[in-house]
Amino acid sequence: MSERNTEPGGVINEVVTLRYDYSLGEVAGKFMEGLKQGKILATSCSKSGLTYLPPRAYCERSFEPCDGWVEAAFEGVIEASTIVVRGFQGKRNPPVAIAYVKLDGIDSAIGNYVDGLDLSNLDAAQKRIAPGKRVKVKFGATREGRITDFSFVCAD
Amino acid sequence: MTVYIVGLGLHPPSRAERGLRLEEMAWRTSRAALESAGVSRRQLDSVTLGACDEMDGRPISSMLMTAPAGGYGTDEIKVTDSGATALALAYARVLAGESNLGLVVSWCKTSKTDIGSVFRLRGEPFYTRPLGIDDTVADALFAQAVAAEFDVSDGEANQRVLDAYTRAARNPRGIGHDVPTRDAVAASAYEATPLRAAQRAPHTDGAVALALASEQFLRSNPGVKPLARIAGIGWATDEYRLDGQRLRAMKSARTAWQRALKQAGLRGAGELDAVELESQTAWHEAAYVRAFGIERKETVSPSGGAFAQNPLFCTGLVNAAEAVLQVSGRAGAVQRPGVKRAAAHGCHGYAQQGNVVMVFEGTGATQ
């Protein structure tokens, strides 16, 4: 239902609802199926030697199809991170920690939540997930084929 | 071929422009630009729009907005990256001989919807959007990366906030935000570490239009006096990734900057008298001045930049208008002395994936 204030200077408030069906495609579909099995699957290109996580169907460097799959390691290094405190409308309520991580053996970083942090002191928590720090992958008890099936936890 | 700016219009900025619809803002601003140039709509042979459908709240908003932007019966193209990118295209159209008198128009009502939701909508739906990555998160990741790369401290960022608001307070075209106290900035809460709420430029509503003309047009219309010539424009786009390397490198910003200065025949920032940067946060300004090699503090964003007004999608084009005002000696209370060359910068996308840099030179005709 729209709210209407039709006087000059008024506004008409309207919520527009659209529902989209996003095709996962072959690559993201296989990645999500892998998550259900507790695996993090990356694609690789034999021509460029690059591995992609999140997986890509094609190699951005060689423009050839990615022709291989590799299982990513369950440890990696943080590339970028933040603790979101306000105005956040993600899957979780703030505060939440988010990091982009290069898992060992993979050439690109994947983002996800970082769990297990004491967020009562933001500055201290931020130092624990500073770029260069190592993290481990932790799968949740329930896996449903979503990126949030796993998260990161500090390795040390 | 030289391309000139012959007129400009700026809508009075507002925190929330409730009294006018976009159509009315665009018409007023476009008409002001044409009147400023001393030309009529019928003389236009191109209109280039810079607009964002998600923020406008309707798909293909140019269906409605072309006519009020001066495009009735005139060839129109719309750019959806940013207002500054629209200027780059409008410039190319004149340079290519496709247009002799063009208008570039951009608008944005940030008050119209939730900007964070717009950024989440733009996010990749499988790997990014479910996490809630938005502009706040992307800007925080950028702030963290450049803090490490350039050794930028929280204290420097806070000082840049105060300086920007102080400059902005003098800008008659700014919104007139109160200048916060140092303690208030330092004590403001994190939105996403290391980014504090007070370190971000507040969003505003606004619109801007620039009229561009070819040499041929000026020869045929001697009564039209140019405000500035475009000496160089550069633009570039980074990878979509938000990993540390991409964020630290600022590759697209550096590339856009170098291309614009090279075209203008400039060796570096030292040859510019003013540089209007699009700094959505104080961390951004700290990063841009280093990446661009801007050493003279007094040349940085005399207008106050985004801290004066920040109609997000067209803040870069507002910067262009401010730079034109500087080189034409019309910047009013924020006029820098003896400005011959000024650059304007605009950026767009997650963590400033895309960047545009424009260099303007005075023509002497109005000084």
Side-chain angles (χ1 to χ4, degrees):
Chain A
M1 179 67 73
S2 300
E3 292 178 22
R4 304 180 71 83
N5 174 357
T6 55
E7 294 176 359
V11 297
I12 294 176
N13 180 282
E14 188 173 22
V15 175
V16 179
T17 303
L18 294 173
R19 185 169 293 280
Y20 295 92
D21 289 331
Y22 292 105
S23 294
L24 281 162
E26 295 176 348
V27 168
K30 185 163 180 172
F31 173 82
M32 297 304 176
E33 283 299 308
L35 292 181
K36 286 185 184 175
Q37 298 163 26
K39 300 175 182 175
I40 298 176
L41 298 175
T43 52
S44 63
C45 170
S46 58
K47 189 162 187 178
S48 68
L50 292 173
T51 50
Y52 289 92
L53 190 63
R56 309 293 297 186
Y58 64 97
C59 177
E60 294 165 359
R61 196 74 56 86
S62 69
F63 208 57
E64 297 291 331
C66 282
D67 51 3
W69 286 90
V70 294
E71 277 192 46
F74 279 3
E75 279 201 35
V77 63
I78 291 175
E79 284 271 310
S81 60
T82 185
I83 300 167
V84 193
V85 183
R86 291 183 5 164
F88 186 67
Q89 295 179 30
K91 193 176 173 67
R92 299 181 180 181
N93 293 324
V96 295
I98 290 176
Y100 275 80
V101 172
K102 265 190 189 177
L103 293 175
D104 294 344
I106 304 297
D107 295 308
S108 55
I110 188 166
N112 219 321
Y113 296 120
V114 184
D115 284 325
L117 282 172
D118 176 2
L119 298 177
S120 61
N121 182 329
L122 294 176
D123 292 326
Q126 180 61 67
K127 285 178 182 169
R128 288 208 70 202
I129 59 168
K133 296 285 189 182
R134 290 190 66 77
V135 290
K136 292 180 178 178
V137 169
K138 179 186 174 189
F139 273 91
T142 305
R143 299 194 293 265
E144 50 186 353
R146 296 176 186 272
I147 188 70
T148 46
D149 283 357
F150 74 94
S151 60
F152 301 117
V153 293
C154 292
D156 54 5
Chain B
M1 167 71 83
T2 302
V3 180
Y4 295 91
I5 303 294
V6 294
L8 66 84
L10 277 165
H11 187 78
S14 168
R15 289 176 175 83
E17 176 54 88
R18 297 295 197 193
L20 299 173
R21 64 184 297 186
L22 284 177
E23 186 181 0
E24 294 162 331
M25 290 171 65
W27 173 72
R28 290 183 182 204
T29 308
S30 302
R31 191 177 167 93
L34 295 177
E35 287 177 354
S36 150
V39 298
S40 71
R41 179 186 63 80
R42 292 183 184 280
Q43 290 175 278
L44 289 173
D45 55 22
S46 74
V47 169
T48 308
L49 306 180
C52 172
D53 283 354
E54 303 108 298
M55 295 188 205
D56 287 356
R58 60 175 295 165
I60 322 178
S61 61
S62 51
M63 287 192 297
L64 172 71
M65 300 297 288
T66 299
Y72 178 80
T74 304
D75 187 52
E76 170 265 335
I77 296 178
K78 178 179 165 187
V79 176
T80 59
D81 283 356
S82 71
T85 318
L87 176 61
L89 178 58
Y91 169 72
R93 296 178 78 181
V94 179
L95 209 58
E98 182 183 297
S99 171
N100 279 305
L101 180 67
L103 197 62
V104 56
V105 189
S106 188
W107 55 82
C108 184
K109 273 194 174 187
T110 60
S111 68
K112 200 167 182 176
T113 191
D114 175 50
I115 299 301
S117 294
V118 170
F119 273 86
R120 282 189 292 280
L121 177 64
R122 291 177 178 180
E124 187 283 328
F126 309 135
Y127 309 114
T128 303
R129 201 184 298 164
L131 301 177
I133 305 284
D134 58 13
D135 55 328
T136 305
V137 175
D139 282 348
L141 294 172
F142 179 80
Q144 179 196 56
V146 298
E149 180 71 9
F150 299 119
D151 195 23
V152 181
S153 67
D154 191 47
E156 178 184 333
N158 293 341
Q159 184 60 50
R160 288 187 180 278
V161 171
L162 297 178
D163 292 346
Y165 275 122
T166 301
R167 296 192 300 273
R170 293 194 294 268
N171 186 347
R173 297 165 298 281
I175 202 151
H177 295 296
D178 292 336
V179 180
T181 66
R182 184 185 300 272
D183 288 346
V185 175
S188 78
Y190 287 124
E191 293 205 335
T193 57
L195 179 60
R196 299 180 185 278
Q199 293 167 341
R200 307 182 78 186
H203 292 153
T204 63
D205 294 352
V208 54
L210 295 176
L212 282 64
S214 67
E215 289 175 74
Q216 180 184 329
F217 181 87
L218 291 180
R219 279 196 298 273
S220 304
N221 297 270
V224 177
K225 302 298 181 189
L227 298 171
R229 64 180 284 267
I230 301 176
I233 291 188
W235 63 89
T237 305
D238 262 324
E239 295 180 32
Y240 59 88
R241 294 189 179 87
L242 292 172
D243 58 27
Q245 184 180 356
R246 195 280 251 184
L247 297 169
R248 283 193 305 273
M250 300 178 68
K251 189 176 171 185
S252 73
R254 293 178 194 271
T255 301
W257 175 262
Q258 288 159 6
R259 285 178 178 166
L261 265 63
K262 183 179 179 184
Q263 188 186 0
L266 305 180
R267 287 164 297 181
E271 296 182 79
L272 292 161
D273 304 304
V275 185
E276 294 286 357
L277 297 171
E278 180 173 344
S279 302
Q280 288 298 327
T281 79
W283 299 91
H284 288 73
E285 183 181 285
Y288 285 128
V289 297
R290 288 166 169 90
F292 296 164
I294 302 170
E295 295 177 350
R296 288 185 296 151
K297 182 181 174 184
E298 66 273 17
T299 63
V300 175
S301 300
S303 72
F307 289 83
Q309 63 163 311
N310 188 21
L312 188 61
F313 189 83
C314 53
T315 299
L317 194 60
V318 171
N319 281 349
E322 290 287 348
V324 168
L325 291 170
Q326 284 287 340
V327 298
S328 61
R330 300 181 177 201
V334 294
Q335 178 69 48
R336 296 259 310 127
V339 175
K340 292 185 170 58
R341 292 190 199 92
H345 161 251
C347 51
H348 53 272
Y350 277 103
Q352 297 67 53
Q353 184 180 10
N355 285 270
V356 181
V357 175
M358 305 144 274
V359 177
F360 301 96
E361 288 182 349
T363 62
T366 58
Q367 291 179 312

